[in-house]
């Protein structure tokens, strides 16, 4: 059948691909993570396969849509403006760069933060194939944003990302120092953010610091409660961690966490303000 259109949904390269009729009615979708085509209209099966063929890889299963779980139904009922799942890494920083300060130094720092968040965000998103669910730019009223929230077999991790600027980074109990710059209390911020997330999700959340593009990272031996990650090794480090959550638990937590109302509660949505500096915590 002619006229079928393939439309993406979700983050580029990871969301579903929907096959729609010319009038916009969906007749199938391709879940790239599960490598499965769910067909709604059997009469169009051959045409659906033909239009999706350029996007398929490996062995693809085909059939009717799976019976939705409780988490699936909750996600379908979520208003689009309340859904954090489509957020890209560093999304709020992109807006600040477009409309923010004109000063060269301030913009340079914003660009460094953005690149660091994007690099770590890409490393986090790569975990989705191993059963992880990822959110970026999660609001914490009064504290700014959680850069990345990871939910997977090894547990839940609240990640704050710091640009290493190709210098030595030293993580201590209270301070993180990059090169000769002034130390910042990022470890303390990460602990407080993880504690807040633990209360919100009613599940244990581990604080984590991600240092991107440092020449080397040194962690004080007394730092035992904070996970220190780097974009190049994060996937391997986390997949080697013993399992703590089952897949249904991960999906339920993801459904809860992706709803912005879970985090804002009765607070005003002023979380879109610029990134909160850890020194102000």
């Amino acid at each position: 059948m002619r006229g079928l259109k393939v439309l993406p949904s979700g983050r580029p390269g990871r969301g579903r691909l929907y096959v729609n009729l010319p009038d916009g009615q969906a007749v199938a979708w391709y879940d790239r993570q599960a490598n499965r085509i769910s067909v709604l209209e059997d009469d169009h099966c051959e045409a659906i396969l033909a239009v999706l063929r350029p996007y398929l890889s490996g062995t693809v299963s085909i059939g009717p849509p799976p019976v939705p779980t409780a988490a699936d139904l909750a996600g379908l009922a979520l208003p689009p403006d309340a859904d954090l799942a489509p957020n890209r890494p560093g999304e709020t920083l992109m807006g600040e760069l477009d409309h923010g300060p004109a000063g060269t130094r301030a913009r340079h720092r914003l660009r460094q933060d953005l690149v660091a968040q994007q690099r770590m965000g890409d490393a986090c998103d790569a975990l989705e194939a191993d059963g992880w669910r990822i959110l970026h730019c999660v609001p914490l009223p009064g504290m700014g944003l959680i850069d990345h929230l990871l939910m997977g077999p090894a547990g839940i991790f609240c990640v704050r990302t710091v640009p290493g600027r190709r210098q030595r980074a030293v993580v201590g109990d209270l301070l993180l120092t990059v090169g000769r710059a002034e130390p910042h209390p990022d470890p303390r911020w990460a602990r407080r953010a993880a504690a807040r997330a633990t209360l919100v999700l009613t599940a244990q959340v581990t604080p984590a610091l991600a240092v991107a593009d440092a020449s080397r990272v040194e962690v004080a031996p007394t730092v035992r409660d904070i996970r220190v990650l780097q974009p190049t090794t994060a996937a391997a480090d986390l997949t080697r961690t013993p399992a703590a959550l089952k897949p249904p638990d991960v999906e339920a937590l993801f459904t809860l966490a992706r709803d912005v109302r879970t985090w804002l509660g009765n607070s005003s949505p002023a979380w879109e303000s610029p990134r909160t500096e850890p020194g102000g915590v």
Side-chain angles (χ1 to χ4, degrees):
M1 176 181 178
R2 294 183 179 181
L4 291 182
K5 295 182 179 180
V6 178
L7 298 176
S9 173
R11 285 200 292 273
R14 293 184 171 83
R16 290 175 173 178
L17 292 176
Y18 281 89
V19 180
N20 293 357
L21 294 172
D23 63 2
Q25 177 186 348
V27 293
W29 68 80
Y30 172 43
D31 187 330
R32 284 179 280 199
Q33 186 173 331
N35 214 17
R36 173 185 171 84
I37 300 174
S38 295
V39 179
L40 299 173
E41 298 286 347
D42 290 336
D43 294 343
H44 303 309
C45 192
E46 290 187 9
I48 290 168
L49 286 174
V51 75
L52 281 175
R53 190 164 288 116
Y55 306 96
L56 304 179
S57 61
T59 303
V60 180
S61 59
I62 305 170
V67 176
T69 63
D72 292 332
L73 293 174
L76 290 170
L78 188 62
D81 59 352
D83 192 359
L84 297 173
N87 284 2
R88 296 167 295 173
E91 186 156 328
T92 56
L93 295 179
M94 298 177 194
E96 291 179 46
L97 276 170
D98 289 339
H99 308 290
T104 303
R105 177 173 294 183
R107 291 185 65 82
H108 180 63
R109 281 201 297 265
L110 280 175
R111 275 193 291 269
Q112 286 182 327
D113 286 341
L114 175 59
V115 170
Q117 289 195 33
Q118 289 175 331
R119 279 182 52 75
M120 188 59 199
D122 289 343
C124 293
D125 290 343
L127 288 164
E128 290 183 340
D130 296 314
W132 289 75
R133 296 291 179 265
I134 317 296
L135 293 173
H136 306 288
C137 301
V138 176
L140 276 184
M143 294 186 66
L145 298 166
I146 298 173
D147 295 333
H148 319 285
L149 188 70
L150 282 59
M151 294 152 282
I156 312 172
F157 296 85
C158 167
V159 183
R160 183 174 183 89
T161 304
V162 179
R165 301 193 294 271
R166 303 187 184 280
Q167 301 180 59
R168 183 183 69 146
V170 180
V171 181
D173 281 308
L174 300 177
L175 300 173
L176 186 150
T177 306
V178 177
R180 297 183 179 180
E182 179 182 353
H184 282 275
D186 295 281
R188 184 167 56 128
W189 190 97
R191 289 189 183 97
R192 291 191 61 186
R196 176 85 68 85
T198 295
L199 291 174
V200 170
L201 300 176
T202 62
Q204 184 61 45
V205 178
T206 300
L209 290 171
V211 185
D213 298 320
S215 59
R216 69 179 185 273
V217 179
E218 298 176 6
V219 183
T222 52
V223 179
R224 298 188 179 95
D225 60 328
I226 296 178
R227 195 69 176 262
V228 179
L229 304 169
Q230 298 180 67
T232 54
T233 59
D237 290 345
L238 291 172
T239 53
R240 285 197 300 263
T241 303
L245 294 175
K246 297 179 179 178
D249 299 325
V250 173
E251 292 301 328
L253 285 164
F254 177 65
T255 299
L256 177 64
R258 68 189 290 184
D259 189 339
V260 72
R261 297 167 297 186
T262 297
W263 304 94
L264 296 183
N266 295 325
S267 302
S268 170
W271 59 273
E272 293 182 0
S273 58
R275 175 182 172 102
T276 300
E277 289 297 327
V281 176

